[in-house]
Amino acid sequence: MTELDKVLARYPNAETYKSGDSAALNAQILELMRAGRKTMTCEAWDAFGPGGEAMPEPGRIDVALDWEGRPALAVRTLKVEPVRYCDVTDAYVAPQGEFTDLADWRTVYRAALSRAGRFREDMELMIETFEVVEDLAILQPSQPDQPSEGAQDV
């Protein structure tokens, strides 16, 4: 049984997801979440549904994965709301943790949503407020630097 299987057995209704569109961004987002600096995220509303990601549901605990697909955090959704890109205000920016201000948020999200072929000024976003309930990285087996006693070179 993999570590992910064990985690999903503890959180049987959980969905899994990876944040970001690169290993570096994924690592940055997970660290902000661990530190409590990121308690909100957003994605294009049309990324969810048939053939897409599972929509977050208030009360459900999902599992955030690192870039390699290992369980990193168990996260409870507190609130999900639709907000158009053009209607996002500063109130939605600070809780996302990785942006300096609304202009920075707009620049980054316009670029990311454009890369995904989804950007429109009036597009609807899914904005999720969440809390971290468990840091799952501590469950990862450590990789010893030295062979264990009794190990043989082959």
Side-chain angles (χ1 to χ4, degrees):
M1 181 178 274
T2 68
E3 289 303 314
L4 181 56
D5 291 333
K6 291 175 189 175
V7 169
L8 292 175
R10 286 206 325 267
Y11 299 109
N13 296 319
E15 297 289 337
T16 61
Y17 67 94
K18 287 183 192 176
S19 294
D21 60 3
S22 69
L25 183 56
N26 175 266
Q28 176 191 16
I29 290 169
L30 291 173
E31 280 309 306
L32 288 168
M33 292 169 71
R34 278 191 181 97
R37 291 187 48 220
K38 182 172 183 68
T39 58
M40 185 179 283
T41 195
C42 70
E43 176 59 274
W45 193 274
D46 65 5
F48 301 94
E53 299 177 42
M55 179 68 76
E57 296 175 11
R60 188 179 71 208
I61 297 174
D62 292 331
V63 178
L65 306 173
D66 69 14
W67 198 247
E68 287 76 37
R70 296 178 299 233
L73 299 167
V75 178
R76 177 182 293 116
T77 299
L78 302 175
K79 182 179 178 183
V80 174
E81 61 184 305
V83 178
R84 293 184 319 159
Y85 173 89
C86 58
D87 294 334
V88 170
T89 64
D90 288 317
Y92 292 106
V93 175
Q96 291 190 50
E98 65 262 50
F99 307 103
T100 56
D101 56 25
L102 181 58
D104 182 41
W105 180 91
R106 287 197 187 284
T107 298
V108 171
Y109 265 93
R110 178 186 296 263
L113 293 165
S114 293
R115 282 192 305 272
R118 290 194 162 104
F119 181 76
R120 289 184 337 274
E121 191 72 29
D122 66 344
M123 69 183 296
E124 196 156 61
L125 300 171
M126 179 285 306
I127 297 189
E128 175 191 17
T129 304
F130 60 85
E131 65 181 352
V132 173
V133 296
E134 185 178 2
D135 187 342
L136 302 168
I138 60 174
L139 302 176
Q140 303 300 322
S142 62
Q143 298 297 321
D145 293 334
Q146 304 293 325
S148 60
E149 286 186 59
Q152 299 178 2
D153 290 329
V154 287

